[in-house]
Amino acid sequence: MKSKFYTIFALAIGTLSFAQVGINTQNPQGVFNIDGGKNNAVTGVPTAAQLADDFIVTTSGSAGIGAIPDASAILELNVSQLASGSQKGFLGPRVALTAYNDASTIPNPALGLLVYNLGTQATFTFKGYVYWDGTQWRPLDGRSLQTGTISSLRCTDATLSPLTYTAGTPYQGTMSIPYSGGNAGVYGSQTIGPVNGLTATLPQGNFAQGSGTLNYTVSGTPTVSSPTTTTFPISIGGQSCSATVGVGKVLAPGEYQFFNYTLPATYVGLLSTQVGGTYDAILGGKLKLDLNFNASSNQGSGAVTYNPRLVNASSSNIKVWYSALSSVDRFRRSNVLLAPGGYMETDNGIYLNWGDNMNSSSTPVAATSSSDDSQEIETVDVIVDGIWYRIIVFVSVDNLNDTDPSNNIRRVFMTAQRMSAY
Ligand SMILES: [Ca+2]
Ligand SMILES: [Ca+2]
Ligand SMILES: [Ca+2]
C-alpha cells in the first residue's frame, strides 16, 4: 500500500509540476516513462542498463523501448542491454495473404505497410516479411511475387558449359536457356532428370521483365560421352520445350573455331588419343578432326609423318563430301556414308620434319632454297550432312632453339570455319 501511495503521489507531482508522467519512477525521461524494472536512478539520466526495461515517450511523440529513442527515430527498440539468452526480437503482424496483390485481407494497405506473410494460403505460399508497394506485396529484396510467366522459351538456343562430358567422369556445369516476354514474376525450384546420369536443377527465382536466361546447374556422372546428346524436358512459366545439350561446339554460320595442341615430336598414334578426354575438335557434334601420326617427326626432311583424318564421332551414319588441297597434293571423294566410328583420310601423308636448323648446330642462314619437303599445310573443304566447313591443318615441329632433338615438340594448329548457313 505504501509503495502504491508513493507512486501515485509521485505521478501526481510529476503531472502537476513538469507535465511529465513516471510509472515506477520519480525521475521520468521524456513526457511518459514506465520503468518496468523500477530500477532507474532517482536523479540524472538512467544508465543504458537501467533503461533496458523502460518504455519512454518523448516530447516529440517518439517512443523508445529499452532506450530513450534516438532523435532520428519515431520508434526505437533496443535489446542491447539484455543479456545473451534473454534478448528479444521485433515481431511484426503475421497474416495469411491470399495473393501477391491481396488488398482485402488487409483492406486498403498503406504504401510501405509491412507484414509477415505466413504462406499458409495455397494461392500464396511465400513465407516472409512483405511490404505493400502500392499495387503488390514484395519481399524485402524488392522482387515480385506474382506467378512468373514468359511468352517464349528457346530450347533451340540452349547451351552447356563446359561444352562436353565424358561417360564415367563426374560432370558439373551450367545449361543456359534464353526466354523472352518475362513478367518479372516468380518461379519455383526445379529438378529435372537424371537423364543419361545428369540432373538439371534450378533454384526458385524470378523471371526478368522481358528477355532473360535460365541457368540450370547440370551435375552427375554421365553414362554417355559427348557428342552423344542429353535432352532435358523443360516446362516453366507456362512454356515447354526440350533442351538438347552435350553435342559440343556447334559453329554458327561463318564462325571460326581454333584448335591448338602440342605433343612430342616423336609420338606415334592418333592426336585425339594423345590429348585424351579434353579433345574437342569435333564439328557439329558429328565430325571429329583427327591426325594420325605414323612416324616420328624428328627427321631432317622428306618423310611423311602424319595424315589428317575425318572421323564420324556420332552414333549415326553421316554423309561426307570432301576436297583437300595440300601444299603438295590434292584428294577428293563424294557421297561417302561413314559409319559411327568410321574414318576417311584426306591425303596420302603429309610432310612434317624438323627441317633446316639447329639439331646439330645453330646456324643462322642468310639465304636458302625454297623447299626441302619438311613442311606442308592442308586445306580440307568438307560437307557433313549438308553443312559446309573449311578446315585448315598446319602442324610444325619446334626444336625449341637448341640442338637436343629429344625435347622437340609438334605444334598442331587446326582452324575450322562454317561456310554455309545450312
Ligand atoms: Ca528501468
Ligand atoms: Ca601427300
Ligand atoms: Ca630441341
Side-chain angles (χ1 to χ4, degrees):
M1 276 312 276
K2 209 171 187 181
S3 72
K4 264 186 190 165
F5 171 78
Y6 280 123
T7 303
I8 291 164
F9 176 77
L11 192 153
I13 293 294
T15 303
L16 291 171
S17 306
F18 308 104
Q20 286 177 304
V21 175
I23 296 178
N24 280 353
T25 176
Q26 301 173 38
N27 177 27
Q29 308 299 303
V31 295
F32 181 58
N33 184 182
I34 299 173
D35 177 10
K38 201 176 177 182
N39 54 12
N40 290 10
V42 176
T43 59
V45 178
T47 65
Q50 290 168 346
L51 288 171
D53 49 32
D54 282 37
F55 178 87
I56 296 166
V57 178
T58 68
T59 52
S60 62
S62 298
I65 299 175
I68 298 169
D70 188 86
S72 66
I74 192 80
L75 173 66
E76 178 176 347
L77 313 175
N78 187 342
V79 299
S80 65
Q81 298 301 315
L82 300 180
S84 177
S86 300
Q87 292 200 323
K88 304 184 180 194
F90 166 82
L91 182 58
R94 289 172 287 187
V95 297
L97 298 167
T98 58
Y100 79 100
N101 58 353
D102 175 0
S104 57
T105 300
I106 300 174
N108 304 314
L111 183 68
L113 192 71
L114 183 70
V115 297
Y116 180 88
N117 189 50
L118 293 164
T120 51
Q121 296 288 342
T123 50
F124 192 50
T125 58
F126 176 81
K127 289 182 176 64
Y129 278 97
V130 291
Y131 68 90
W132 183 252
D133 79 343
T135 54
Q136 58 181 288
W137 296 100
R138 293 179 184 269
L140 298 183
D141 61 13
R143 63 199 169 89
S144 174
L145 293 173
Q146 66 183 310
T147 300
T149 60
I150 52 178
S151 61
S152 77
L153 183 62
R154 299 206 305 277
C155 282
T156 51
D157 294 325
T159 60
L160 185 69
S161 176
L163 278 169
T164 59
Y165 42 71
T166 304
T169 301
Y171 177 87
Q172 168 117 5
T174 302
M175 176 173 65
S176 300
I177 304 176
Y179 62 84
S180 59
N183 70 340
V186 70
Y187 53 80
S189 63
Q190 295 193 335
T191 299
I192 305 167
V195 183
N196 294 340
L198 295 169
T199 301
T201 58
L202 182 71
Q204 70 96 30
N206 282 68
F207 293 114
Q209 186 77 49
S211 297
T213 302
L214 296 168
N215 292 312
Y216 288 81
T217 295
V218 175
S219 60
T221 300
T223 57
V224 297
S225 295
S226 296
T228 299
T229 56
T230 299
T231 299
F232 293 101
I234 308 293
S235 182
I236 192 166
Q239 302 292 325
S240 298
C241 61
S242 293
T244 297
V245 295
V247 75
K249 173 76 172 176
V250 176
L251 293 174
E255 187 181 4
Y256 285 99
Q257 189 172 7
F258 302 132
F259 305 101
N260 299 316
Y261 312 97
T262 60
L263 71 165
T266 54
Y267 171 77
V268 174
L270 290 174
L271 173 64
S272 60
T273 303
Q274 169 69 16
V275 173
T278 60
Y279 195 71
D280 58 355
I282 299 173
L283 302 181
K286 295 180 177 178
L287 189 69
K288 179 161 71 178
L289 315 178
D290 211 344
L291 304 179
N292 181 30
F293 292 98
N294 61 291
S296 166
S297 300
N298 265 354
Q299 306 187 49
S301 67
V304 160
T305 63
Y306 79 95
N307 204 343
R309 174 179 286 202
L310 306 175
V311 184
N312 180 357
S314 76
S315 53
S316 307
N317 295 332
I318 60 172
K319 203 163 182 189
V320 178
W321 297 253
Y322 92 91
S323 181
L325 189 63
S326 78
S327 42
V328 177
D329 279 318
R330 68 240 192 279
F331 294 90
R332 59 275 162 198
R333 289 191 68 174
S334 67
N335 281 298
V336 178
L337 194 60
L338 271 182
Y343 71 90
M344 178 167 57
E345 295 190 317
T346 61
D347 201 274
N348 61 357
I350 302 281
Y351 289 126
L352 177 66
N353 301 285
W354 67 41
D356 280 66
N357 211 358
M358 283 195 273
N359 278 289
S360 57
S361 65
S362 183
T363 309
V365 290
T368 188
S369 63
S370 61
S371 180
D372 66 354
D373 289 340
S374 62
Q375 186 65 65
E376 193 176 354
I377 182 171
E378 185 176 56
T379 300
V380 182
D381 282 273
V382 59
I383 299 171
V384 185
D385 287 347
I387 295 178
W388 173 22
Y389 300 94
R390 178 162 291 167
I391 302 151
I392 302 168
V393 182
F394 196 158
V395 185
S396 64
V397 175
D398 189 343
N399 63 7
L400 303 182
N401 300 330
D402 61 26
T403 58
D404 172 13
S406 70
N407 62 2
N408 292 1
I409 58 170
R410 297 182 180 111
R411 296 189 194 279
V412 175
F413 299 92
M414 292 194 289
T415 298
Q417 184 182 20
R418 178 168 169 177
M419 305 293 285
S420 65
Y422 303 104

